[in-house]
Amino acid sequence: MSAGLQSNIHIGRVRAHCKSHPEEPLYNGGILKNDVGEVNFGYHTKETVSNSCSFLLENLTPKTRYTFSCWVKLKGKSLSSFVKATLSTVDSKLECIGNVVARSDCWSFLKGGFVLGSPSNKSILSFQSAQNNLTEIMIKSASLQPFTVEQWAIHQQDSIQLKRKRMATIHVSDRKGNRIKGASILVQQHSKDFPFGSAIANTILGNSVYQKWYIKRFNATVFENELKWYSTEPEQGKHNYTLADQLLKFVRSNRIVARGHNIFWENPIYNPKWVLNLTNQELKSAVESRIQSLMSRYKGEFVHWDVDNERLHFDFYEQRLGSKASLSFFQTAQKEDPLATLFLNDYNVVETCDDVNSSVDSYILRLRELMQGGAILEGIGLEGHFTRPNNPFMRAVLDKLATLNLPIWLTELDISKKMDQQTQAIYLEEVLREGFSHPSISGIMLWTPLHPFGCYQMCLTDNNFKNLPTGDVVDKLLHEWQTSQTGGVTNEHGLYNFNGFLGKYKMSVSFGNKSKITTFCLDQGQETKHINIQLY
């Protein structure tokens, strides 16, 4: 593996637009090409199943991270369809390793990948359309590139170095500008720049042990249910913000940033029951009242609002109020709280690739429709309710979403309770490393509020706040992703250098009987940060 490939695992051309001609394959085709640049393991072909074509792959190895990409076009007139790539081995089948919304008038870019649990001498990579009446799927510029576990980890570390850390140089001099050699430097990180947290619920109120455990770890939060419409207005016209106010007081007192979740939820079963019985005109008035009541009360309090939740899967409001209902939500929310970042939020975009409703292309299309309609949409929410994560696919989705140049958050991250605790921990670490290292991810929120019955899917502790394996993973990574106390003495040029994670720092400098304590920030930047200290 060349250094060039190691540093460009996720950077390959990622297109969200259709193109008139396919581009060249990533990695020159990877292992799908031989030395003379011709297809080695297979080619696309129309088979007896009219909506499928395939590649034959040989000698795939377990644990290897395989990234796959190709350009897809449908044969026919005025066609559009969800197309997924499927991998079949002798003893197993991966139902989806990548997907794309393909069309007949242009070429669409599919990017995904997979990891096998056992070796496979012969495998079939096939393409299937959601529409059975398609006559042919055309594939061009296919690429399959393997990366070892070590190579994948190296790329993550390189990305963290570029995005989450920065070099700093401390200059120490006296009041006349003379350099001071041998000055003692002690640097401690005071707070972290990257928002990392977990959802909380009313169960944290009055529970000092829970609060202490939480505050020690997290700098961001979101309320599990306490801001949802069914909680704040269970009966029409009778608003109750008591629990939300109490949680917000806890947030304020501990300098934690909070996301607002959510204003509207498109799934009708999670709306107040009285809402479902309203006429369209009554619903319109209720919606306007909901936004005004919620956002006027909490204006400036929440850094984000999930304005429309799970719109890819449900459309309750647009069915009742028309096709521009979501657009209206965003426009009104922006007027009510112009400083908050407004998000769409949905599931199964990064978790799995065989959900027709939530392909990355479908999400991008929906986001673009809102922005082109005039919505001030500033963030992309990915819930992240994983069963078994597919890291190459996750990275491919993030790469594609990153073309929109919007902040992306993992907003409700957990691992299914179908997995045992040790497996949950293994998968959680994989997802957290992938998320933290990806340059387009701006924050991570776990979905682990603790209740007497446990948690929604995954807990970090038991009811006595003793860490479970998942909690140990979180603690390990929090420690890894912060700058440990560092220090030394200035060199002959009066300089001390260190490489630190972004955030706020406290520094003490001493020389002889002179000393100084100061603070500084390491913010995002490619250049070395220079801090000048004068000892009087």
Side-chain angles (χ1 to χ4, degrees):
M1 174 61 57
S2 69
L5 282 181
Q6 287 183 12
S7 62
N8 283 281
I9 294 177
H10 82 273
I11 296 175
R13 297 179 294 275
V14 179
R15 305 300 185 193
H17 288 293
C18 264
K19 297 177 71 74
S20 57
H21 299 284
E23 295 187 357
E24 293 299 313
L26 298 186
Y27 309 112
N28 195 33
I31 61 174
L32 292 183
K33 296 278 185 168
N34 61 22
D35 292 338
V36 295
E38 296 179 349
V39 172
N40 191 25
F41 291 114
Y43 57 91
H44 71 90
T45 180
K46 184 170 66 176
E47 296 185 339
T48 54
V49 180
S50 63
N51 65 333
S52 178
C53 53
S54 61
F55 287 86
L56 171 64
L57 307 175
E58 297 179 339
N59 301 322
L60 301 181
T61 55
K63 298 185 180 181
T64 301
R65 275 64 174 149
Y66 289 96
T67 63
F68 176 76
S69 61
C70 64
W71 290 82
V72 184
K73 185 177 180 180
L74 306 180
K75 188 172 183 179
K77 292 184 178 180
S78 302
L79 295 176
S80 177
S81 179
F82 174 86
V83 173
K84 68 177 183 178
T86 298
L87 185 74
S88 299
T89 68
V90 174
D91 55 3
S92 66
K93 184 176 183 179
L94 301 179
E95 291 293 343
C96 187
I97 64 167
N99 61 42
V100 72
V101 176
R103 292 161 49 181
S104 57
D105 59 343
C106 57
W107 290 90
S108 301
F109 188 61
L110 181 153
K111 191 179 186 192
F114 59 91
V115 181
L116 294 180
S118 58
S120 176
N121 292 332
K122 291 187 181 296
S123 305
I124 300 294
L125 194 161
S126 61
F127 301 84
Q128 298 177 341
S129 166
Q131 292 181 253
N132 291 325
N133 61 344
L134 293 180
T135 58
E136 188 172 354
I137 302 171
M138 293 181 283
I139 306 296
K140 294 285 188 180
S141 299
S143 171
L144 185 68
Q145 179 63 44
F147 296 94
T148 66
V149 173
E150 293 74 20
Q151 289 164 345
W152 201 262
I154 288 171
H155 173 265
Q156 289 177 334
Q157 290 302 316
D158 289 346
S159 183
I160 288 171
Q161 176 60 53
L162 289 172
K163 183 67 176 180
R164 313 295 180 199
K165 302 181 75 175
R166 189 174 180 182
M167 287 297 301
T169 295
I170 299 166
H171 302 251
V172 182
S173 63
D174 62 20
R175 62 191 306 176
K176 295 181 180 180
N178 298 311
R179 301 166 178 160
I180 298 179
K181 176 184 177 181
S184 296
I185 307 287
L186 181 64
V187 179
Q188 294 175 300
Q189 187 169 13
H190 181 65
S191 64
K192 301 175 183 179
D193 181 67
F194 186 83
F196 185 79
S198 173
I200 56 175
N202 61 77
T203 51
I204 202 170
L205 298 172
N207 190 330
S208 59
V209 180
Y210 192 177
Q211 293 178 5
K212 183 178 180 181
W213 181 91
Y214 191 96
I215 295 164
K216 180 181 178 181
R217 290 162 174 80
F218 300 128
N219 61 0
T221 195
V222 62
F223 304 166
E224 184 180 33
N225 298 314
E226 285 75 8
L227 284 173
K228 292 170 182 173
W229 198 355
Y230 62 73
S231 295
T232 63
E233 195 179 0
E235 297 181 48
Q236 188 172 10
K238 296 183 179 180
H239 296 94
N240 186 351
Y241 294 107
T242 303
L243 290 177
D245 287 348
Q246 291 174 352
L247 286 174
L248 193 54
K249 185 177 180 181
F250 165 72
V251 166
R252 288 196 207 102
S253 65
N254 292 286
R255 296 178 296 177
I256 297 170
V257 298
R259 305 187 71 249
H261 176 77
N262 53 56
I263 301 178
F264 295 109
W265 198 340
E266 291 285 352
N267 189 339
I269 69 172
Y270 294 116
N271 279 278
K273 291 182 180 180
W274 60 265
V275 167
L276 306 181
N277 299 321
L278 299 177
T279 66
N280 289 354
Q281 186 57 47
E282 289 170 340
L283 179 60
K284 185 175 184 296
S285 297
V287 161
E288 292 171 353
S289 173
R290 160 69 172 170
I291 297 182
Q292 195 280 328
S293 173
L294 182 69
M295 300 196 72
S296 62
R297 184 181 188 89
Y298 295 118
K299 184 175 182 177
E301 297 281 8
F302 294 96
V303 295
H304 299 166
W305 279 105
D306 289 330
V307 176
D308 205 6
N309 197 50
E310 300 180 356
R311 175 61 189 84
L312 294 177
H313 292 87
F314 307 96
D315 60 353
F316 170 73
Y317 292 101
E318 292 201 353
Q319 281 192 12
R320 296 288 304 276
L321 302 177
S323 60
K324 294 186 178 180
S326 295
L327 175 60
S328 176
F329 298 163
F330 277 92
Q331 292 173 331
T332 306
Q334 201 277 330
K335 291 176 184 177
E336 291 290 341
D337 193 350
L339 297 182
T341 303
L342 305 182
F343 276 67
L344 271 185
N345 190 52
D346 224 303
Y347 64 91
N348 277 358
V349 182
V350 292
E351 298 98 313
T352 182
C353 106
D354 57 1
D355 188 335
V356 177
N357 294 312
S358 55
S359 71
V360 62
D361 288 347
S362 297
Y363 206 8
I364 289 173
L365 177 62
R366 187 62 184 166
L367 291 160
R368 283 199 175 122
E369 285 176 348
L370 286 168
M371 290 187 288
Q372 290 168 359
I376 309 299
L377 195 156
E378 300 158 308
I380 304 171
L382 303 171
E383 293 185 14
H385 297 295
F386 289 87
T387 301
R388 180 181 179 181
N390 175 353
N391 285 348
F393 173 75
M394 178 181 175
R395 185 175 295 184
V397 169
L398 294 177
D399 288 347
K400 213 165 187 179
L401 287 172
T403 62
L404 294 175
N405 295 315
L406 294 173
I408 303 173
W409 277 59
L410 298 175
T411 58
E412 305 179 20
L413 177 58
D414 59 21
I415 306 298
S416 172
K417 59 186 177 184
K418 295 178 182 178
M419 305 297 169
D420 61 66
Q421 291 182 356
Q422 290 294 339
T423 303
Q424 280 185 321
I426 292 169
Y427 288 167
L428 177 63
E429 181 170 352
E430 289 181 5
V431 174
L432 287 175
R433 289 191 182 279
E434 198 62 51
F436 185 74
S437 65
H438 199 284
S440 68
I441 292 292
S442 296
I444 296 175
M445 199 69 61
L446 303 171
W447 203 254
T448 56
L450 187 62
H451 297 271
F453 61 80
C455 304
Y456 170 62
Q457 293 288 335
M458 180 188 80
C459 289
L460 300 179
T461 73
D462 61 19
N463 286 333
N464 295 315
F465 300 98
K466 180 181 179 181
N467 271 7
L468 299 174
T470 49
D472 288 338
V473 163
V474 168
D475 284 353
K476 178 178 74 172
L477 295 180
L478 286 172
H479 178 74
E480 183 179 323
W481 296 336
Q482 70 179 10
T483 305
S484 301
Q485 178 175 298
T486 184
V489 295
T490 55
N491 62 19
E492 64 271 21
H493 301 288
L495 306 178
Y496 176 75
N497 304 304
F498 78 97
N499 185 21
F501 283 92
L502 305 183
K504 294 181 181 179
Y505 285 79
K506 180 179 179 181
M507 175 175 61
S508 61
V509 183
S510 61
F511 182 75
N513 61 353
K514 299 176 182 179
S515 63
K516 190 170 187 177
I517 297 176
T518 188
T519 60
F520 64 91
C521 290
L522 273 187
D523 47 8
Q524 181 67 48
Q526 299 301 316
E527 299 177 345
T528 300
K529 176 90 170 185
H530 291 269
I531 301 108
N532 291 288
I533 301 295
Q534 283 190 338
L535 289 179
Y536 295 93

